[in-house]
Amino acid sequence: MVGAPDVFFKRHEPDTYGNAHPKELLRQITEDVDYLLPLANQHIMSADQFKRETLLQLFRLAAKFEANPSRFSTPLQGKILISAFYEPSTRTRLSFESAWHRLGGDIMSITDRATTGIAKGESLADVGEMFNNYGDCVVLRDINEKSPFEMMDSLRIPIINAGNGLDEHPTQALSDIYTIFKWRPSLVKRRRANQPRLKVGIIGVPDKMRTVRSLLKLMIKFPDVFNDITLIHDGSTKDIYGPRLTEQIDEAGITVRESHNLEAVVGDLDIVYINAIAWIKDSYESYGKSFKLDTSTPLKNSAIIMHPLARGEELSTDLDETHHNWYFAQARGAVFLRMALLTCLVQRTGRVMDVV
Ligand code: CP
């Protein structure tokens, strides 16, 4: 076009923040497939289900995938994933689907319950019975806490709870802990009482946020690592833990402090985990509007920020190009963590282990 100015759009450079190399994590954990084999054909409903050793082996397998992203393109060949998301999702659905595709499997995706028999009153149990004939694994997200359990009863293929209302989001928590261990791989070794404590601040309300509840449930599996946790909330929720979690924390022998003053505690924290959104039915509520992280927050220089995303005003985009940004790494690593879990559930572990 004569006279028209050239217009160029700057290509976004890949971010390098939170880019710890997974090979160091691989070196720290000795492979032991015996902890992964029992995952075969299991339903994944809660973070409670995982033992410490199983978690470490899953992280090792995830790191193996992440360290060699193009090496494993066929382990799920011939397998079909049913990806059913009855509540909005960017990261969870697409990272599960990416994980399955990367391993060579095929996918059927449902993103609207109105396009299935549920719109005609069909029960989730009956839908589950049909899924047995169509695929090899189900990933379900639903606004209703009971939904994955209703479907589970009729399933003979494994189902993964990808977020059920306010209850849990176990694979988000797996991805969160995987991120932390990639940040400091030496944390996977049992820590002695005289070692410096890792100070973790969690801005959120476990009873309202499934990501925070599942994260705490996994952290208590590593009481030697996560023994200095401060929950930061605005005090507007009475029982911030909800049922059972308080007992589980007590049983793990760790103390979780509470604070209503982010400024007062943030400068001491090694990890700042923030979430503000709670899904309530088909909408969401924002908690802790008074808590915001931006480049003026007096963070420790070495501190990392984690966030399950999607974010709102609580996490300024100004932080994206700082070394505190580990939330993008969290989302990136979730693909590899989910690759590890899926491989184990559909009994293809033997195709990715060096020795079985
Ligand atoms: N972290 C998370 O669950 O994000 P999505 O809602 O986009 O899946």
Side-chain angles (χ1 to χ4, degrees), residues 191 193-199 225 227-228 257 270 300:
R191 286 167 72 77
N194 61 356
Q195 284 181 283
R197 288 180 167 224
L198 182 72
K199 293 183 187 298
V225 179
N227 51 17
D228 194 332
R257 283 190 293 272
D270 299 300
K300 210 169 161 174

Side-chain angles (χ1 to χ4, degrees), residues 85 87-93 141 162 169 172 210-211 279 308-310:
F85 277 72
E87 182 207 280
S89 167
T90 302
R91 280 145 294 275
T92 312
R93 181 170 77 84
R141 170 174 286 189
H169 195 350
Q172 176 65 48
R210 59 194 180 199
T211 52
W279 274 96
L309 306 174

Side-chain angles (χ1 to χ4, degrees), residues 156-228:
R156 296 181 292 282
I157 56 175
I159 180 171
I160 300 174
N161 173 10
N164 58 331
L166 294 182
D167 186 28
E168 281 220 47
H169 195 350
T171 61
Q172 176 65 48
L174 289 170
S175 306
D176 298 344
I177 305 289
Y178 175 54
T179 306
I180 293 171
F181 286 159
K182 273 189 297 174
W183 169 62
R184 291 279 159 82
S186 62
L187 291 173
V188 301
K189 301 289 179 206
R190 277 194 194 273
R191 286 167 72 77
R192 294 183 301 278
N194 61 356
Q195 284 181 283
R197 288 180 167 224
L198 182 72
K199 293 183 187 298
V200 179
I202 300 176
I203 305 165
V205 181
D207 192 42
K208 302 289 182 199
M209 295 164 186
R210 59 194 180 199
T211 52
V212 175
R213 180 184 286 117
S214 292
L215 177 64
L216 281 169
K217 282 171 179 279
L218 280 195
M219 282 183 162
I220 61 180
K221 314 275 178 174
F222 300 90
D224 52 318
V225 179
F226 301 110
N227 51 17
D228 194 332

Side-chain angles (χ1 to χ4, degrees), residues 132-152:
N132 289 318
N133 307 309
Y134 307 147
D136 300 285
C137 182
V138 182
V139 179
L140 177 71
R141 170 174 286 189
D142 200 296
I143 56 173
N144 190 333
E145 290 181 20
K146 293 182 183 152
S147 293
F149 299 95
E150 284 172 21
M151 193 176 275
M152 180 181 84

Side-chain angles (χ1 to χ4, degrees), residues 20-81:
H21 211 284
K23 280 188 177 155
E24 184 51 32
L25 188 58
L26 268 177
R27 272 194 284 273
Q28 294 280 341
I29 305 170
T30 307
E31 184 174 282
D32 189 343
V33 71
D34 287 347
Y35 288 102
L36 294 180
L37 294 177
L39 286 170
N41 224 24
Q42 292 295 312
H43 301 311
I44 305 299
M45 292 287 145
S46 165
D48 288 338
Q49 289 171 251
F50 295 93
K51 292 197 175 86
R52 179 186 182 119
E53 277 308 320
T54 307
L55 291 167
L56 291 176
Q57 291 300 320
L58 271 176
F59 299 149
R60 189 184 193 284
L61 183 53
K64 188 167 168 172
F65 286 137
E66 190 166 0
N68 305 282
S70 56
R71 190 174 145 202
F72 301 97
S73 57
T74 58
L76 298 190
Q77 228 168 34
K79 296 277 187 187
I80 298 172
L81 178 72

